[in-house]
Amino acid sequence: MAAATALSLSSSSNSPNFLQLRRFPRPEKGSRLPRAALVEAKPLPALRGGSSGGGSVNGEYTVQVVDAAAELSIRSRMDRAGDIQAEARAMTRAVNASVYSPELVAARYGSRPIRVLQRTVEILTAVGSFAFKLFLDKRQGLLDQRKRMRAAELRRIFTRLGPTFVKIGQGLSTRPDICPPEFLEELSELQDALPTFPDAEAFACIERELGLPLDSIYSTLSPSPIAAASLGQVYKAQLRLSGELVAVKVQRPGIEEAIGLDFYLLRGLGFLINKYVDFITSDVVALVDEFARRVYQELNYVQEGKNARRFKKLYADKADVLVPDIFWDYTSAKVLTMEWVDGVKLNQQEAIEKQGLKLLELVNIGIQCSLRQLLEYGYFHADPHPGNLLATPEGKLAFLDFGMMSETPEQARFAIIGHVVHLVNRDYEAMARDYYDLDFLSPDVDVSPIVPALRNFFDDVLNATVSELNFKTIVDGLGAVLYDYPFNVPAYYALILRSLTVLEGLALYADPNFKVLAASYPYFAKRLLTDPNPYLRDALIELLFKDGRFRQVLKQWNRLENLVVQGRKDKDFTAKDALQPVLKLLLDPEGEELRLLVVKESVYVAEAVVFGSMIDAFNSIPQPMRSLISNGNENGPLNLNNGERERILELRDRVFRIWSLLRSSDNFDPTLFEPILQVLQDPEARILGGRVVGGITQRFAARLLQQVLRSPVAVSTQ
C-alpha cells in the first residue's frame, strides 16, 4: 500500500526531545487525508540578483538587481517593512485578548459563590489529604520509603488542580535544595510533559485564529503535540510558503476560567494574610496581582512574540545565546509560531554530555545572560525553568517561552550591584542604606537599628569565603531581617527572587556544590570597576575611601586587587574601561575631595615604589658593604623600622600586582593609553599632576631630612 509521510514524536530514549519521520498508511480512495498528513509544496522562488532580465513566476515578477550590496539593502528594507506589517496584522488579531483586572475578576467570581466554594473545597481536599498522608508516613517511620510514591502523587495533584498549581510545581522542580531527588524528578515532568488536550480542538483553534485552513499554512504538521505546558501545547510544523521548520504553540481551551478563579481565591487569601499575619510585612495582595498580570500576559501570544523580539534585540548579540524568531503571519492571541530549535533541556545532563558539551559551561552562559538581563537593560526572563532553556548541538543556550517577562527599575539595578559588593565586603551601614534605593524602605525610616541585625547574621555567613555562599542563604538571612523591620518589598522584586532561585536550582543540577554568587561576582566586580554610572562610581569610592582617607591602606589595596582579580574573569572586562571612568571622575569639577585623597595616596604609592626599590637594592649587596653604607645602623640607610619597611614593601608589591593584572588582561592593548593621555591634557589633570609631584617632593624632602638628622621618629603612612 502507498504511504504518506508525517512527523511524529520519537519514543527513542536517546533523543527524547526530537521528532522523527514515520510512515503512516495512506487512506482509502474517497476518504479525506488527516489534518497532519504531508502535502508536497514547493516554496516560492526567492529574489535573485544578477539575472539578465526581469521575469515572472505564477504572475509574480522578480526584480533585476545587478549590485549585490544593493540587493541586500533592498531585501533588508523589504523584510523590515513586511515584518512590521505582519506584526500589525497579528496585533489586530489579538485586539480582544484578556487583560488582568482585579475588579473584573472580583465582579465575575464574587457573584458565583457556589463555584468559588467548590473550587476552595477541591483545593483544600487535595492539599489537605496529601499533607495528612505525609504526617502519617512520618509517624509510622515510612517517610523515606514512600518518597517516590508521594512525589508522583503530588505531581498528579498539581496536574489535576490546573495551571496555577502546575506553575507552583514547576518552581519546586528547580529547587534541589528544597525538594528531595524523588520529588524533583516527578515535578520536572510538569515543565513540558503535562496531559494534552484533543488535537482536533488545537487544529480548530489554529484555523479559527489565523482564518486559514491548515493545508494552506503547513506542508507538514505533527499529528500530536511534542510538548504540553501549563497554558498550551506545542506542535512541530513546516511552513508551506517558505519551507521553514517552526514550533506552533496553541493555547489550552478554557484556560482563562481556570486561572481567573484561582487568582480570585489567592487574592482573598492575600487579604487575610495582610490583615491577620503580622510577621509578613509585604503586601501579599500586590504580589498576587503582579503575578496574575504576568500570567495573563502569557495568555496573549502576540505579546509573547513581542517579548521574544525585544529579548532577541537586547541579548542575542552574544554568540553563545540563541533566541528563536517569530513568524507574525501565523501568530494570534492564542496561536504562536516561532522558529524551531533543536536542543536538550538543561536538566538532562547525560544527553548534553553525549553531544560533547559541558553542562556547567552552559549554566555559566545562563548566569551571565541573566545578570545582563537583571542589571544592564533591566528586562528579564522571569520563568527560566529547564523546559525553557535548551542546549543546542552547537553549544549555544537557547531561551524559549517569553510569556512571563519583567523589568527591573534603573535605580534598583545599580542598588543591587552595590548591595552585593557591600555584602561581600561586610559594609553593613552601606547595605542598610541600599534599601532606600531598592524601595524597600521609605526615606523617613531610620536604618541604624537594621545594621546590627545585618551584622549578626552575615558575620557568621561571611566567615566562609565568597565561593561558599549561595543565593538561598542570602535570601533566608535577609528574610529574617525583613520580618523584624518595616520593609515593603516591591512586587517586581518577587519575580527577581523567583528568577534567581530558579537559576541557582539549574546550576545545582550541574553541580551540587555550585555557588551562583561566586560565579556572578566577576560580573559585579567588572561593573563596579568599569561602569561610569554615578551610583556605581560612588559605591567604588565608598568601598575604598572612608572618613577622608584611604581606609586601612593595605586592606583597601587588597580590596582593589580582589576587584581587579574578579573583574578580569569576566570576558567583557577591559583595562581601558577600568581606567578611564576613574580618571574622568578625578577631573570632575565636584571631585576636589576625592582629588585630595588620591594625591595623598599617590604620594604613598610613589614612596613605596622608590623606597621599595632602594630596599631591594640594599638587600642585594654583600653584608660587609651593607654595614659600611648604613654605618652599622640595623635599620639600613633609610632608617626604617621593620614594621614600616614591611608596609612599604607590601604596598609596593600589591600595586605592582594590580598593574600586572591589568596588563595581562586578554584584550590589553598599549594604545588604550592614547585616550587616557588625551584626558590628561585637561587643565585639571595638569594641576592634579602638579599636586602629586609637589606632594612626592615634600615627602621625599621629609625623608631626606630624617636621614640627615638620623631621627628615630617614623613618618606616618596614614
Side-chain angles (χ1 to χ4, degrees), residues 564-613:
V564 176
V565 168
Q566 294 294 328
R568 67 192 296 271
K569 292 179 182 178
D570 189 288
K571 60 184 178 182
D572 293 330
F573 176 84
T574 66
K576 175 181 178 180
D577 290 339
L579 292 173
Q580 274 210 298
V582 176
L583 284 173
K584 291 181 179 178
L585 186 66
L586 286 174
L587 304 180
D588 188 275
E590 298 180 0
E592 177 60 25
E593 182 178 355
L594 178 62
R595 284 193 286 273
L596 291 174
L597 297 173
V598 170
V599 167
K600 179 190 289 188
E601 192 59 32
S602 298
V603 172
Y604 294 148
V605 170
E607 179 187 53
V609 171
V610 173
F611 279 31
S613 300

Side-chain angles (χ1 to χ4, degrees), residues 419-559:
H419 198 64
V420 171
V421 175
H422 294 151
L423 167 65
V424 171
N425 290 287
R426 307 191 189 205
D427 194 340
Y428 303 118
E429 292 85 359
M431 280 183 69
R433 291 193 299 273
D434 289 336
Y435 295 128
Y436 294 136
D437 296 306
L438 289 168
D439 287 335
F440 282 18
L441 294 171
S442 61
D444 59 339
V445 175
D446 180 16
V447 296
S448 55
I450 300 174
V451 175
L454 293 172
R455 180 177 291 110
N456 290 338
F457 175 77
F458 284 112
D459 268 349
D460 291 336
V461 172
L462 294 175
N463 283 334
T465 63
V466 173
S467 62
E468 294 175 326
L469 289 176
N470 61 39
F471 184 73
K472 183 177 182 295
T473 301
I474 297 172
V475 171
D476 289 346
L478 290 177
V481 176
L482 296 181
Y483 293 147
D484 296 331
Y485 295 94
F487 284 86
N488 182 28
V489 179
Y492 75 86
Y493 194 69
L495 289 176
I496 291 181
L497 291 180
R498 183 178 186 275
S499 179
L500 289 176
T501 52
V502 167
L503 182 65
E504 184 170 64
L506 288 173
L508 293 174
Y509 273 117
D511 180 1
N513 298 315
F514 192 90
K515 306 302 179 187
V516 168
L517 184 59
S520 59
Y521 193 65
Y523 172 87
F524 289 101
K526 184 260 296 185
R527 287 290 300 277
L528 196 65
L529 287 169
T530 63
D531 199 307
N533 178 270
Y535 186 98
L536 296 183
R537 294 296 92 222
D538 291 343
L540 179 60
I541 293 171
E542 188 175 4
L543 181 67
L544 301 177
F545 295 94
K546 193 173 185 180
D547 302 328
R549 63 192 181 94
F550 199 67
R551 289 188 292 172
Q552 303 175 21
V553 175
L554 293 177
K555 181 178 180 181
Q556 301 316 320
W557 277 100
N558 180 50
R559 287 187 175 182

Side-chain angles (χ1 to χ4, degrees), residues 51-245:
S51 61
S52 58
S56 67
V57 179
N58 296 330
E60 296 185 8
Y61 284 85
T62 59
V63 178
Q64 177 184 1
V65 182
V66 177
D67 183 76
E71 178 185 4
L72 290 175
S73 178
I74 291 174
R75 282 177 177 270
S76 178
R77 289 197 299 271
M78 291 174 63
D79 288 344
R80 284 197 299 269
D83 193 63
I84 292 172
Q85 293 172 4
E87 183 179 354
R89 291 192 294 270
M91 293 176 65
T92 301
R93 287 191 288 270
V95 69
N96 293 321
S98 297
V99 177
Y100 175 72
S101 167
E103 295 77 17
L104 291 178
V105 169
R108 181 174 185 180
Y109 296 103
S111 60
R112 301 167 62 184
I114 296 178
R115 180 72 187 95
V116 171
L117 179 61
Q118 289 174 339
R119 180 60 174 170
T120 303
V121 171
E122 180 184 7
I123 294 172
L124 292 178
T125 300
V127 176
S129 63
F130 179 77
F132 184 67
K133 290 176 182 178
L134 287 180
F135 172 75
L136 290 180
D137 290 345
K138 186 175 182 180
R139 288 289 299 270
Q140 297 170 4
L142 300 174
L143 196 61
D144 290 336
Q145 295 93 315
R146 294 180 176 175
K147 273 184 181 179
R148 174 68 64 181
M149 181 176 67
R150 296 303 179 210
E153 185 177 347
L154 182 61
R155 173 179 55 79
R156 290 193 295 269
I157 288 173
F158 283 163
T159 302
R160 189 169 65 250
L161 289 178
T164 307
F165 288 86
V166 166
K167 287 194 170 293
I168 294 173
Q170 288 174 347
L172 291 175
S173 72
T174 62
R175 298 305 304 174
D177 50 341
I178 296 176
C179 295
E182 296 84 356
F183 281 78
L184 292 176
E185 293 175 17
E186 290 291 337
L187 295 179
S188 65
E189 295 186 22
L190 296 174
Q191 290 158 5
D192 59 1
L194 291 168
T196 62
F197 58 90
D199 298 312
E201 293 186 26
F203 297 154
C205 179
I206 294 174
E207 293 185 331
R208 183 172 60 252
E209 288 289 310
L210 302 183
L212 295 169
L214 292 184
D215 292 344
S216 68
I217 303 174
Y218 313 113
S219 57
T220 63
L221 177 65
S222 57
S224 58
I226 60 167
S230 55
L231 303 183
Q233 58 194 34
V234 180
Y235 296 83
K236 183 176 183 179
Q238 185 177 35
L239 294 178
R240 172 178 287 278
L241 290 181
S242 65
E244 293 172 280
L245 289 177

Side-chain angles (χ1 to χ4, degrees), residues 220-365:
T220 63
L221 177 65
S222 57
S224 58
I226 60 167
S230 55
L231 303 183
Q233 58 194 34
V234 180
Y235 296 83
K236 183 176 183 179
Q238 185 177 35
L239 294 178
R240 172 178 287 278
L241 290 181
S242 65
E244 293 172 280
L245 289 177
V246 294
V248 184
K249 183 160 70 170
V250 186
Q251 195 171 111
R252 288 181 179 273
I255 191 73
E256 293 181 32
E257 171 71 17
I259 66 171
L261 179 54
D262 284 344
F263 281 125
Y264 175 74
L265 294 175
L266 288 174
R267 206 165 188 272
L269 179 63
F271 276 117
L272 294 177
I273 293 174
N274 285 348
K275 186 174 182 179
Y276 297 110
V277 183
D278 294 333
F279 66 87
I280 297 181
T281 58
S282 299
D283 187 344
V284 178
V285 173
L287 294 175
V288 171
D289 286 342
E290 177 72 10
F291 182 62
R293 272 190 287 271
R294 302 299 176 185
V295 174
Y296 267 77
Q297 285 182 6
E298 287 191 77
L299 296 181
N300 184 352
Y301 286 172
V302 171
Q303 181 60 50
E304 180 176 345
K306 295 174 69 175
N307 293 344
R309 278 292 179 85
R310 181 180 177 188
F311 191 90
K312 184 181 183 75
K313 181 179 179 181
L314 292 177
Y315 307 115
D317 59 320
K318 297 297 182 182
D320 46 15
V321 173
L322 175 64
V323 180
D325 207 359
I326 303 298
F327 294 82
W328 292 114
D329 278 328
Y330 311 109
T331 295
S332 71
K334 297 183 179 181
V335 176
L336 176 65
T337 303
M338 65 196 316
E339 178 185 355
W340 178 262
V341 177
D342 284 321
V344 179
K345 291 189 297 184
L346 283 195
N347 60 351
Q348 295 180 337
Q349 184 169 358
E350 184 178 347
I352 289 175
E353 291 176 351
K354 282 183 178 179
Q355 297 186 45
L357 304 176
K358 294 182 179 179
L359 180 56
L360 215 53
E361 291 181 1
L362 291 162
V363 170
N364 268 312
I365 293 172

